[in-house]
Amino acid sequence: MSHGAKIESEVKFNEFYTEVKEIEKRDSVLTPKQQIERLLRPGATYRNLNPFDWIPTPPLEEIKKKYRRLSILVHPDKNQDDPDRAQQAFEAVNKAWKTLENEETRKKCLDIIEEAVGRTDLMLTEKRKKAKKEGKDGIPEDDPAKYKHAVYVLTMKLFADMERKRRELAERDQEERKRKREAEIEEEEKAKEQKEWQKNFEESRQNRVESWQSFQANTKSKDKKSSKKIKMFKPPKNKPESR
């Protein structure tokens, strides 16, 4: 990116956050119930992947102040008429704060928003060229409000893409850990079976040895008895012939 393009992108980025500041100012007058409705509005699951959509003030000290005010407003103890939804909003605000208080994850979020600004500008440049060839005078996004909306939509998409990749990696990691665990269990079962087989073999071998020894002893005993019988046998005396 050229120096001039970088400056222009930074200007657009600052304009985007000027709009965010205006949203924050408008939302600051909302009641606790209205804040919960804002945070849990339809589609919030995807929109609120961007933590700045929950706590829309980039400087860390301002983020902390905004977080404290917002967390108090939506705390379940302060909204006992709707504790379940208040708990959901409170947990989501806490999650956003955990993301933003960490320098590394906060920078990643800011980088995504800056990328959305840069990509929107490139997309609109091409769109203007196409409109010019078609003889059209400008594009809808030349209106600042529509431009900011285009940046916002792309920002939401980039955060959604990042979350999808994160989930895919988490699922892949979980499947890999599951596969490894199954392999470990299989090896453990094989080792157990082998140990059991070896134990049974040793016991049966001992039985076979003892049986053989008993057989040998019985055989020798029989041989001795047979030998004694043979020695004790005396043939009958011949009678003298009569004349």
Side-chain angles (χ1 to χ4, degrees), residues 206-222:
Q206 184 63 28
N207 290 336
R208 290 195 303 274
V209 170
E210 290 174 357
S211 296
W212 176 251
Q213 289 173 343
S214 177
F215 172 75
Q216 290 287 79
N218 289 336
T219 301
K220 289 179 180 178
S221 176
K222 289 178 181 178

Side-chain angles (χ1 to χ4, degrees), residues 91-227:
E91 289 174 359
V93 170
N94 275 332
K95 182 180 177 182
W97 163 243
K98 292 297 181 184
T99 300
L100 296 178
E101 73 169 337
N102 181 280
E103 184 177 353
E104 183 179 350
T105 51
R106 184 173 70 255
K107 185 179 183 304
K108 285 181 180 179
C109 292
L110 290 169
D111 287 345
I112 287 174
I113 295 170
E114 188 172 1
E115 180 184 352
V117 172
R119 287 175 61 173
T120 299
D121 288 344
L122 289 173
M123 179 184 69
L124 296 182
T125 297
E126 294 300 317
K127 193 172 180 179
R128 287 189 186 95
K129 288 179 181 177
K130 184 178 179 181
K132 189 175 181 180
K133 287 181 180 179
E134 294 173 352
K136 296 178 181 178
D137 186 18
I139 58 175
E141 288 80 6
D142 288 333
D143 178 353
K146 291 182 179 179
Y147 169 77
K148 289 168 186 175
H149 179 70
V151 172
Y152 180 80
V153 170
L154 185 54
T155 300
M156 184 174 66
K157 181 180 182 302
L158 292 178
F159 272 101
D161 288 345
M162 182 178 70
E163 176 65 10
R164 177 179 54 77
K165 289 177 183 177
R166 185 195 68 78
R167 289 181 182 180
E168 286 177 355
L169 288 173
E171 288 175 4
R172 206 174 302 164
D173 180 62
Q174 185 176 4
E175 285 296 323
E176 181 63 18
R177 283 188 282 111
K178 181 181 177 182
R179 186 191 64 76
K180 285 182 178 179
R181 182 56 188 151
E182 287 175 349
E184 288 173 0
I185 291 173
E186 186 177 351
E187 287 299 319
E188 289 171 2
E189 289 295 329
K190 284 182 179 178
K192 185 179 178 181
E193 289 175 4
Q194 180 66 24
K195 186 177 179 180
E196 189 69 23
W197 184 90
Q198 189 67 30
K199 179 183 176 182
N200 292 337
F201 176 79
E202 291 295 332
E203 289 177 353
S204 63
R205 185 175 68 84
Q206 184 63 28
N207 290 336
R208 290 195 303 274
V209 170
E210 290 174 357
S211 296
W212 176 251
Q213 289 173 343
S214 177
F215 172 75
Q216 290 287 79
N218 289 336
T219 301
K220 289 179 180 178
S221 176
K222 289 178 181 178
D223 288 346
K224 286 180 181 179
K225 288 180 180 179
S226 177
S227 175

Side-chain angles (χ1 to χ4, degrees), residues 23 26-27 30-56 66-67 69-75 79 85-94 96 152:
I23 294 172
R26 182 194 67 204
D27 291 342
L30 296 179
T31 65
K33 185 175 181 179
Q34 289 171 328
Q35 286 287 5
I36 293 172
E37 290 298 327
R38 176 181 75 85
L39 298 173
L40 301 181
R41 63 200 184 280
T45 301
Y46 290 99
R47 279 200 294 270
N48 295 335
L49 289 171
N50 175 7
F52 288 115
D53 198 53
W54 294 87
I55 311 174
K66 178 67 177 178
Y67 159 70
R69 288 197 300 269
L70 191 55
S71 62
I72 290 171
L73 281 174
V74 301
H75 197 282
N79 298 274
R85 283 172 60 80
Q87 183 65 32
Q88 291 178 42
F90 181 73
E91 289 174 359
V93 170
N94 275 332
Y152 180 80

Side-chain angles (χ1 to χ4, degrees), residues 226-238:
S226 177
S227 175
K228 286 180 181 178
K229 286 180 180 179
I230 292 172
K231 289 180 180 178
M232 290 173 64
F233 176 74
K234 294 181 180 180
K237 294 180 179 180
N238 292 329

